Amino acid sequence: MRLKTTVLTLAVFLLPHFAADSAAASGEALMETDNENIFFEEWDTPFGIPPFDRIGDEDFRPALEAGFEAQRERITAILANPEPPDFENSILALELSGTELSRVWSVFSNLTSTDTNETLDALELEFKPRYTRQQDAIYLDPALFARVDAVYQSLDEAELDPEQRRLAELTHRDFVRSGAALPLETREQLKEINARLSELSARFGQNLRAETKNFELVITDEADLAGLPSDVVSAARQAAISRGHQDAWVFGLDRSSFEAFMTYADNRDLRRRLFDGYRSRGAQGNEFDNRGILLEIAWLRARRAGLMGYSTHADYQLAVNMAKTPQRATEFLLQVWKPGLERARGELVDMEGQAFGDGVKDFQGWDWWYYAQRVRELRFSLDDDVLKPYFELSRVQEGAFYTANRLFGITFHPLADVPVWHPDVEAFEVRNPDGSHLGIFMVDYYARDSKKGGAWMSTYRDASDIDHPVRPIVTNNLNLIKPGEGQPTLLSFDESETLFHEFGHALQGLLTTVRFERFSGTSGLPRDYVELCSQVLEHWARAPEVLSVYARHYQTGEVIPDTLMSRIEASSTFNQGFGTTEYIAASLLDLAWHTMTAEETTGISDARAFEAETLGDYGLIPQIEPRYRSPYFAHIFSGGYSAGYYAYLWAETLDADAFTAFTESGDVFDPELAERFKKYIFEAGGREEPEILYRKFRGRDPDIQPLLKIRGLGDD
C-alpha cells in the first residue's frame, strides 16, 4: 500500500482570503517564531534525516502554525505579483509554496501512523481538517486559479520543456478538480464538506486503531496452543508480557498475529473468538463505532461529487484513473470474479471433506485458513515449520536488496547512529551504480500498539531537482509479530512477498528522476497504476534465481532445497479462489458505497445490511468474508483508496504482463528489459500518462491473460 504524506490534499475548507499586506514569500515567519523549536532550525543530521531524538510532541503545534503562515505568505506574494502570469511566477511558485509546511507535515503525518500517542491523536483531529482548509484556501481561490488558467491557456505559445508543461497541466487539473471554476456558493459548500470529511476520516482511523489495540485473546492453558508453530507461540508469550499478563500468551488483531492463529490453531472455538473479534471491529456500539461515520462519509462524498458535476463519487475518482469509469472497473472485476468464485467453491468442497473427518459438519469462515493449510500440507507437503526457517527477516530483506542491485545496479548500506522514530527502525543509504548518493531508505517492520495496522510505503522527503538535486527519504512499514527475546523473526512466504511489495513502492520513490515533487516517485499517480512497481517485485520474490540467494536456513545457512522451491512454485495458485474472491468482494463493496447519489445514500441506515445485500447479489459464498468489512475498511474510509480498491487487481494485469516480458526473454534480470523498466516505470514517476509510459516499456498495451494464468484462473 502506498501512503502519501506530503502531496497537497485537494479536498477541503477555505480560509479567509490571504491578507494583501502579508510579507513576501521568504519563510521568515517560520524561522523566527520559536528559536527553541527543532523545526525552526537547520537539521545538522546525516542526509537531512529528521532529528527524531530531539522532536517533542510540543513542537508540532507552533511548527504547523508557522508552516501554514509561511505558505500563506508565499501565496499572497504570487497574487500580488504585478507581472503577467507565467510558469515561473505562478506554476513553479505554487509548487514551492508549501516547502516549510511540508517539512513539518511529513514528520507529523508519518508519526501519527507509526508511533502515535494521545497527544498526537488529539493534534491529528485538530490539524488534519486545518491542513485541508489550507489547501482549499489555495485550490478554491478564484484569483489564484485565474493566474494558473492563464498559463494553461497559453501553453502552446510558452517555451516550456516537457516536464514544465506537465506540471502546468497537472496543476490546472488539480484546481479544476477541486472546484475552482465553480460558482462561489458551490465552492463554499465544498469547503464545508471537505473539512468535515477530513475530520471523519481521521476519527475512523483512530477508532480502528483503538479497536485493534483493545482486543486481546489471552490464553492461559498451554493445551490451547496446539498446532501453533514455536515462533508464533514465542511471540505470543512476548506480547503477553508486554501487556502485563504473566504465565499467558496473547494474540491480537494485527494481521500477522490474526492470520497465524487462524491458520494453525487447532482449537476451533478460539479461532471463532478471534475471527469474531476481527470482523466486529468498528461495529460494537461503543465509543469507537465507525458505522455512523462511514455512512456520513459516503453521503458527503456523493454530495460533493454532485456539486462537482459528476453522477457519483466513483465517477469523480476514476475520471483520472486508468479505468476511467466505475462501469469499466466493475466489468474488469467481474471478469476475474467469476472464475475466482468458481475456483473458491471447489476449494470449499476440498476443505469440507477434510473438516468432516474432524467432526466439523458446519464449515464456517473461521475454518477456512486452518483447513486450507491442512489441504496445502497434504497436497504439496509444505509445512510452515519446515518452510519458515528459510525466510528469516534480515535475509528476506537482503533478497530484496539483491533484486534491486541486479535489476538497477543500486546498493544499500546500513547507517548507524542516525536518528530514528522508534528503536525498531533501521536506516540505509542507497547508492547509484557509480557510488553516488541516491536516497535514504528506512524500515519499520514490527507491530506495536502505537502503530496503525497493515503495510505501507511513505516518504519523509520526496525527490526533486529544481535549483539543486534533493534526494528522497523513503520508508517501508510492516506489522510483523515481534519474536521473543533472542529469537529470529521468521516469515511466512506471504509475509516475504509483502516485504518485496512495499520495497517495490520504495524503489519507485528512490529511483525517480523527475524534477518536480508533484509527480515525483509515486506522487500523483493513478491508484490503478501506482501498485505496478510494488506488485511486480512480488514475482521476483518467488523466482528461483532470487530464492536461491535469500532463502537460507537461519541456523545452518543452507540454501532452500530445490524440492521446497518446486513445492512453493507448485502451490503458487493454491487457495487463489479464496484470495481472489475475498479481495474482489471488498473491491465490489467499495464501488457499491461510492456509486450512489447523495439521495441514495440517505436511504441506508445499516451499513452491515447494505454490504450483506450487495455481496449477496454478487453470489459471495457465506464462508468467505470480504477482505475488509465496511466498519474497518480503512483503505476507503480513512486512506486514499475510495472507489479505488479495485486498483490492486487492475495493476496486477500490468505487473503480470510486465514480468512475463522477463520470463519470455529467458532471464529475469535481462539487462535491456531492466534498463527500459527503470527508465519508463521506476524513474519516470508521473512525467507522462501511465498508458504512454507502459507502452514505452512493453511496446504494447498489457494483456490480461498472464494475470489469469498466474492466479491459476485461466488456460494453461
Side-chain angles (χ1 to χ4, degrees):
M1 173 185 176
R2 167 68 174 122
L3 175 68
K4 181 62 185 170
T5 60
T6 57
V7 69
L8 295 179
T9 304
L10 300 183
V12 244
F13 186 92
L14 189 59
L15 287 172
H17 196 281
F18 301 116
D21 58 353
S22 294
S26 64
E28 292 177 359
L30 178 65
M31 301 306 295
E32 295 179 358
T33 305
D34 182 351
N35 290 332
E36 299 301 318
N37 192 309
I38 189 63
F39 286 105
F40 307 147
E41 302 175 10
E42 291 297 322
W43 292 343
D44 185 20
T45 56
F47 307 103
I49 295 172
F52 298 104
D53 52 335
R54 297 180 58 200
I55 295 173
D57 294 346
E58 69 279 1
D59 292 325
F60 285 111
R61 178 181 296 278
L64 288 168
E65 296 279 12
F68 288 148
E69 178 60 24
Q71 187 175 41
R72 286 194 290 267
E73 291 177 358
R74 289 175 180 270
I75 296 299
T76 298
I78 296 172
L79 293 170
N81 192 325
E83 297 296 322
D86 61 21
F87 177 83
E88 296 287 336
N89 68 27
S90 296
I91 304 299
L92 182 58
L94 179 60
E95 169 79 356
L96 298 174
S97 67
T99 300
E100 295 88 357
L101 177 58
S102 180
R103 186 177 192 235
V104 184
W105 188 260
S106 64
V107 176
F108 176 70
S109 55
N110 270 299
L111 290 184
T112 56
S113 294
T114 59
D115 201 24
T116 194
N117 54 45
E118 290 184 1
T119 299
L120 291 181
D121 283 349
L123 286 172
E124 182 184 37
L125 289 177
E126 176 184 354
F127 276 94
K128 190 172 180 181
R130 288 186 60 184
Y131 182 85
T132 303
R133 294 185 187 107
Q134 179 86 353
Q135 306 318 312
D136 262 353
I138 296 169
Y139 286 94
L140 290 174
D141 187 302
L144 192 56
F145 176 56
R147 293 187 68 91
V148 171
D149 189 56
V151 178
Y152 178 76
Q153 298 301 333
S154 61
L155 279 180
D156 289 340
E157 291 76 46
E159 295 182 359
L160 302 179
D161 64 38
E163 287 200 27
Q164 290 174 323
R165 184 182 179 100
R166 178 70 168 166
L167 180 62
E169 291 171 343
L170 291 179
T171 301
H172 184 268
R173 190 180 79 178
D174 292 343
F175 273 84
V176 172
R177 284 180 57 77
S178 296
L182 297 175
L184 175 62
E185 180 181 354
T186 304
R187 297 200 307 272
E188 293 297 318
Q189 293 178 67
L190 288 173
K191 293 183 256 176
E192 299 291 342
I193 290 172
N194 292 334
R196 180 62 175 162
L197 280 171
S198 186
E199 177 188 353
L200 290 171
S201 67
R203 287 192 179 278
F204 187 101
Q206 289 188 13
N207 285 349
L208 176 56
R209 187 165 58 239
E211 289 274 78
T212 302
K213 174 183 175 181
N214 292 343
F215 179 93
E216 53 184 26
L217 178 65
V218 181
I219 294 176
T220 56
D221 185 348
E222 192 168 1
D224 289 332
L225 300 171
L228 292 165
S230 59
D231 63 307
V232 173
V233 172
S234 176
R237 170 71 84 178
Q238 191 70 25
I241 293 171
S242 68
R243 288 176 174 245
H245 298 285
Q246 300 301 318
D247 299 321
W249 298 264
V250 167
F251 293 88
L253 300 180
D254 293 309
R255 193 73 182 185
S256 292
S257 178
F258 171 76
E259 287 195 1
F261 194 88
M262 297 302 298
T263 300
Y264 301 109
D266 292 339
N267 190 312
R268 189 181 187 225
D269 181 61
L270 291 180
R271 292 202 310 270
R272 178 175 184 171
R273 283 173 55 187
L274 191 64
F275 186 79
D276 286 344
Y278 187 86
R279 66 176 178 167
S280 65
R281 290 177 299 166
Q284 302 189 76
N286 58 18
E287 61 183 309
F288 306 120
D289 198 298
N290 273 333
R291 288 173 292 184
I293 291 175
L294 72 89
L295 287 173
E296 187 177 356
I297 288 174
W299 174 68
L300 287 170
R301 286 173 174 169
R303 185 166 165 240
R304 182 177 62 187
L307 292 172
M308 294 289 295
Y310 290 87
S311 299
T312 70
H313 178 70
D315 286 284
Y316 169 76
Q317 289 288 89
L318 271 66
V320 293
N321 280 13
M322 295 183 76
K324 302 305 180 190
T325 69
Q327 292 78 18
R328 189 179 177 199
T330 302
E331 290 169 0
F332 166 73
L333 289 173
L334 293 179
Q335 191 175 356
V336 188
W337 168 263
K338 293 174 183 177
L341 189 60
E342 182 180 352
R343 177 75 174 268
R345 291 192 180 104
E347 293 167 355
L348 177 60
V349 170
D350 288 345
M351 288 183 292
E352 283 180 327
Q354 186 71 29
F356 190 80
D358 290 345
V360 176
K361 299 180 181 179
D362 59 334
F363 191 93
Q364 300 292 336
W366 52 88
D367 296 314
W368 196 292
W369 281 275
Y370 180 75
Y371 283 102
Q373 179 63 17
R374 292 271 294 274
V375 172
R376 178 173 173 263
E377 290 175 0
L378 288 171
R379 188 168 298 171
F380 302 102
S381 299
L382 271 179
D383 182 346
D384 269 8
D385 273 342
V386 175
L387 198 59
K388 288 175 74 172
Y390 291 95
F391 295 94
E392 189 270 327
L393 174 59
S394 64
R395 289 194 181 275
V396 176
Q397 180 176 260
E398 288 173 11
F401 291 172
Y402 169 82
T403 301
N405 177 256
R406 288 292 308 275
L407 285 171
F408 308 129
I410 61 177
T411 55
F412 294 76
H413 305 269
L415 293 173
D417 301 322
V418 297
V420 294
W421 59 91
H422 190 275
D424 289 342
V425 176
E426 295 179 278
F428 301 84
E429 183 195 3
V430 189
R431 297 175 187 167
N432 284 305
D434 63 3
S436 60
H437 178 72
L438 181 63
I440 297 298
F441 179 52
M442 308 179 82
V443 297
D444 185 354
Y445 286 142
Y446 294 112
R448 53 182 174 270
D449 289 342
S450 61
K451 188 179 184 182
K452 75 173 189 175
W456 69 97
M457 167 267 197
S458 186
T459 59
Y460 279 93
R461 185 176 68 218
D462 286 310
S464 62
D465 190 3
I466 300 173
D467 296 323
H468 61 278
V470 174
R471 296 312 302 166
I473 300 174
V474 177
T475 75
N476 271 178
N477 304 271
L478 305 182
N479 268 279
L480 301 174
I481 303 172
K482 196 165 188 177
E485 189 69 29
Q487 298 297 310
T489 304
L490 303 181
L491 309 186
S492 68
F493 188 70
D494 285 347
E495 289 170 332
S496 299
E497 285 190 313
T498 299
L499 186 149
F500 270 74
H501 176 107
E502 298 305 334
F503 184 64
H505 279 311
L507 288 177
Q508 193 167 21
L510 289 163
L511 289 165
T512 187
T513 59
V514 303
R515 197 181 319 163
F516 305 111
E517 282 191 23
R518 173 61 182 82
F519 47 89
S520 168
T522 62
S523 300
L525 292 175
R527 287 294 180 195
D528 46 13
Y529 179 75
V530 76
E531 297 297 335
L532 163 59
C533 288
S534 56
Q535 292 178 176
V536 77
L537 259 288
E538 296 179 37
H539 296 286
W540 272 277
R542 66 168 59 244
E545 298 91 330
V546 181
L547 276 170
S548 63
V549 171
Y550 78 87
R552 294 173 177 266
H553 198 283
Y554 78 98
Q555 291 174 314
T556 67
E558 174 196 6
V559 175
I560 188 169
D562 290 343
T563 53
L564 284 182
M565 280 202 287
S566 297
R567 291 171 191 169
I568 291 173
E569 181 61 28
S571 67
S572 63
T573 62
F574 177 75
N575 207 36
Q576 276 295 332
F578 171 81
T580 300
T581 302
E582 65 150 8
Y583 163 76
I584 296 181
S587 302
L588 292 170
L589 180 61
D590 167 32
L591 288 172
W593 278 116
H594 293 114
T595 50
M596 291 184 286
T597 64
E599 183 179 5
E600 288 171 332
T601 64
T602 60
I604 301 171
S605 58
D606 186 334
R608 284 288 181 82
F610 172 77
E611 72 177 36
E613 181 180 357
T614 297
L615 297 177
D617 289 344
Y618 283 112
L620 179 65
I621 59 180
Q623 291 86 353
I624 297 182
E625 291 273 316
R627 184 168 297 177
Y628 300 103
R629 300 184 91 174
S630 302
Y632 55 87
F633 204 163
H635 280 78
I636 67 170
F637 291 117
S638 179
Y641 281 75
S642 62
Y645 195 62
Y646 78 92
Y648 290 95
L649 191 64
W650 185 283
E652 193 173 333
T653 301
L654 303 174
D655 72 67
D657 185 69
F659 188 70
T660 297
F662 284 89
T663 57
E664 288 177 346
S665 78
D667 179 4
V668 297
F669 296 114
D670 182 290
E672 182 180 347
L673 278 173
E675 181 59 32
R676 290 211 311 270
F677 209 32
K678 180 182 181 183
K679 179 178 180 180
Y680 296 120
I681 306 298
F682 283 88
E683 290 183 344
R687 63 163 52 105
E688 293 183 89
E689 289 298 312
E691 296 89 343
I692 296 172
L693 291 170
Y694 191 82
R695 289 187 201 112
K696 285 184 175 181
F697 159 66
R698 193 68 165 102
R700 58 166 174 75
D701 289 331
D703 181 2
I704 195 175
Q705 290 306 314
L707 178 150
L708 296 174
K709 182 177 180 180
I710 286 171
R711 281 185 171 256
L713 305 177
D715 296 331
D716 292 334

